[in-house]
Amino acid sequence: MSFTVAIVGRPNVGKSTLFNRLVGKKLALVDDTPGVTRDRREGDAHLGDLSFKVVDTAGLEEATGDSLEARMRRQTDQAIAEADVCLLLIDARAGVTPLDKRFAQILRKSPTPVILAANKCEGGAGQAGRMEAYELGLGAPLPLSAEHGEGLSDLYDALAAFADGFAENDEEQALEDALADDEAEGFDPDAPYEPDLEAPLRIAMVGRPNVGKSTLVNQLLGEDRMLTGPEAGITRDSIGIEWLWRGRRVKLWDTAGMRRRARVVAKLEKLSVADTLRAIRFAEVVVVVLDASQPFERQDLHIADLVEQEGRGLLIAVNKWDTVTDTQTTLRMLKEELERLLPQIRGVPIVTLSALTGRGTDKLMPAIERVHTFWNARVSTAKLNRWLEETVSRHQPPAAKGRPVNLKYMSQVKSRPPTFAVFSSRADEVPTSYRRYLVNGLRETFDLPGIPIRLFMRKGRNPYAKKK
């Protein structure tokens, strides 16, 4: 199991710069303006042979009530509570400020272990500020330069001390964790799926700018909840709305339009796109809204592929259908294009509608419920192994180095999305093409259209491996 490191500190001390350095990508926006980061952002970090999850947080500020700063502060407090290690960052060039002292006092009372680091120490410019940091009572401050990558070896040593007992989060370990979680939560693949009516059904509306996402949300709600208009890009933030549909709670996100990455230049639009991606991760079913006059542009396919990578249920809503003349021919062409362009998630349902007039919008929520049911699908182990035996008898896996590859058995590890594990003593030698063959067979046999399917090849343990 991996461990989690939360980077905290007052605004503009370099938390996002260090976050980007650890994950090896420019995921978090960095600017000289304080307060650019508002929400928690998570990433997979690597430092030497250490692999862990790192969380970038908003700058710690003294704020109460329901102000924006207070909400940001609560997000940071939650990140600290959920982390295994907290990395408190100060600006060594600015020295220790009263705000640094205040939050060091808070962190000393927290049960989460704390590592103190003095950033911006390149060239010895922050040496005096680093010496001041001893008064915070959190041990010796590590000298760092997040921008230039200096001092990471010291950070490695500090994190390695906390990493004892945590195994590397590889694929096999992730499967074992999932099996343990499912057993603890009472996951039973033989039990029929029953929706939890107490938990809200989480839906995200995504798509290119000006395809009618906000208008569609207003039509579903029956009120002008979202600001709409002919201009593209009116919606900037991902707005979450709770409502009831046929007695069932629904959490619906209206998101900002996502343009091609090359066209996203303004900082505010970058933040909006990041917010949309977070909405996709929080959703259970994602509705990709298309414009009937310009369906399946490259950006639409990119968005759909993002949804599949995140493992969410997918549904295509073709808006402005009232402008289409030959509806039957157009619908047939859309389905053919969808099968050709998105072969990894075959059978994605298409709903045609007009958000402006309301025509066809009554079909959307029932279709979303069906996708949600497929996304929660469970298949009994007995059925899976009968299917595996028949499937392998029709098409054996290719031999590797002249030796046959035997697939012993399989089981469903989890749902949401359906995840399966196939056990074999030579699991590493099963080619990707054969895995796709198994996934397509699962989708067709057990009626799982339009949702991602995860299939892991797991190597069985040899009980005599440790015996001489």
Side-chain angles (χ1 to χ4, degrees), residues 126-139:
Q127 187 63 25
R130 175 174 171 256
M131 299 307 294
E132 285 182 29
Y134 277 91
E135 66 183 81
L136 297 178
L138 294 172

Side-chain angles (χ1 to χ4, degrees), residues 49-175:
D49 57 355
L50 291 179
S51 296
F52 53 93
K53 183 170 73 172
V54 62
V55 183
D56 184 21
T57 64
L60 287 165
E61 295 189 67
E62 287 280 18
T64 58
D66 200 36
S67 64
L68 176 61
E69 290 78 11
R71 297 197 301 272
M72 292 161 56
R73 170 68 188 277
R74 287 195 287 270
Q75 287 284 326
T76 300
D77 289 342
Q78 186 174 353
I80 294 172
E82 294 176 355
D84 298 301
V85 184
C86 182
L87 179 61
L88 175 61
L89 212 60
I90 69 164
D91 185 342
R93 295 191 178 188
V96 176
T97 67
L99 201 56
D100 292 325
K101 295 179 181 179
R102 169 62 180 150
F103 292 117
Q105 182 182 7
I106 294 174
L107 289 173
R108 284 200 301 269
K109 298 178 181 178
S110 169
T112 306
V114 180
I115 297 173
L116 176 61
N119 193 26
K120 307 181 184 180
C121 279
E122 61 270 15
Q127 187 63 25
R130 175 174 171 256
M131 299 307 294
E132 285 182 29
Y134 277 91
E135 66 183 81
L136 297 178
L138 294 172
L142 304 178
L144 288 181
S145 173
E147 185 173 358
H148 297 89
E150 297 178 7
L152 294 182
S153 60
D154 294 330
L155 181 59
Y156 170 88
D157 293 337
L159 290 176
F162 289 102
D164 293 339
F166 293 99
E168 188 173 340
N169 189 20
D170 56 11
E171 187 173 281
E172 180 176 341
Q173 183 65 43
L175 281 169

Side-chain angles (χ1 to χ4, degrees), residues 141-439:
L142 304 178
L144 288 181
S145 173
E147 185 173 358
H148 297 89
E150 297 178 7
L152 294 182
S153 60
D154 294 330
L155 181 59
Y156 170 88
D157 293 337
L159 290 176
F162 289 102
D164 293 339
F166 293 99
E168 188 173 340
N169 189 20
D170 56 11
E171 187 173 281
E172 180 176 341
Q173 183 65 43
L175 281 169
E176 291 179 356
D177 294 340
L179 283 168
D181 291 342
D182 292 334
E183 183 178 352
E185 296 173 5
F187 176 79
D188 182 6
D190 297 324
Y193 165 64
E194 295 182 1
D196 183 4
L197 299 180
E198 295 298 323
L201 173 59
R202 303 194 300 272
I203 306 167
M205 298 282 183
V206 301
R208 290 180 285 116
N210 214 30
V211 294
K213 299 183 294 297
S214 297
T215 306
L216 178 56
V217 170
N218 286 343
Q219 189 66 241
L220 291 173
L221 298 176
E223 59 177 299
D224 291 334
R225 170 65 176 78
M226 307 303 302
L227 183 64
T228 60
E231 303 87 359
I234 290 180
T235 303
R236 287 180 168 176
D237 297 319
S238 295
I239 309 298
I241 305 160
E242 294 188 4
W243 61 300
L244 286 176
W245 178 76
R246 297 183 182 177
R248 183 170 188 179
R249 293 175 58 205
V250 176
K251 183 68 178 287
L252 179 63
W253 276 279
D254 180 28
T255 65
M258 297 178 64
R259 298 196 297 167
R260 291 173 58 187
R261 183 179 300 177
R263 295 182 180 178
V264 179
V265 179
K267 181 188 298 182
L268 183 58
E269 187 173 2
K270 290 182 179 180
L271 289 170
S272 298
V273 170
D275 220 20
T276 299
L277 295 176
R278 281 192 291 273
I280 292 175
R281 296 186 184 104
F282 287 135
E284 296 172 319
V285 178
V286 178
V287 179
V288 179
V289 184
L290 309 182
D291 187 332
S293 61
Q294 297 175 320
F296 294 125
E297 291 194 354
R298 180 180 298 180
Q299 182 64 2
D300 298 321
L301 300 174
H302 177 63
I303 294 172
D305 189 57
L306 282 175
V307 175
E308 192 276 336
Q309 291 177 24
E310 290 296 333
R312 303 300 179 246
L314 176 63
L315 185 141
I316 304 295
V318 185
N319 191 24
K320 307 180 184 179
W321 196 247
D322 52 329
T323 62
V324 177
T325 52
D326 191 352
T327 57
Q328 295 296 327
T329 303
T330 304
L331 182 59
R332 185 175 66 252
M333 291 175 60
L334 285 174
K335 290 181 178 179
E336 292 174 355
E337 282 290 286
L338 188 62
E339 291 295 313
R340 182 178 66 85
L341 296 172
L342 291 174
Q344 69 272 33
I345 37 177
R346 293 180 179 175
V348 176
I350 297 178
V351 176
T352 58
L353 51 87
S354 171
L356 189 62
T357 65
R359 183 178 179 183
T361 55
D362 58 326
K363 301 180 295 183
L364 185 60
M365 283 304 299
I368 290 174
E369 268 206 325
R370 286 194 296 273
V371 172
H372 188 256
T373 301
F374 295 142
W375 191 62
N376 285 274
R378 299 173 179 178
V379 183
S380 70
T381 304
K383 290 181 179 179
L384 281 175
N385 284 281
R386 283 196 297 268
W387 170 84
L388 180 65
E389 184 178 356
E390 295 173 0
T391 302
V392 171
S393 65
R394 288 195 300 268
H395 179 35
Q396 292 278 347
K401 299 178 182 179
R403 297 172 57 194
V405 176
N406 297 319
L407 306 184
K408 297 180 179 178
Y409 66 96
M410 72 181 299
S411 63
Q412 182 171 0
V413 176
K414 61 186 285 290
S415 57
R416 306 164 64 89
T419 303
F420 304 91
V422 179
F423 294 82
S424 172
S425 58
R426 309 183 68 193
D428 297 338
E429 298 174 346
V430 178
T432 303
S433 58
Y434 195 81
R435 299 186 190 192
R436 284 199 300 266
Y437 163 71
L438 294 176
V439 168

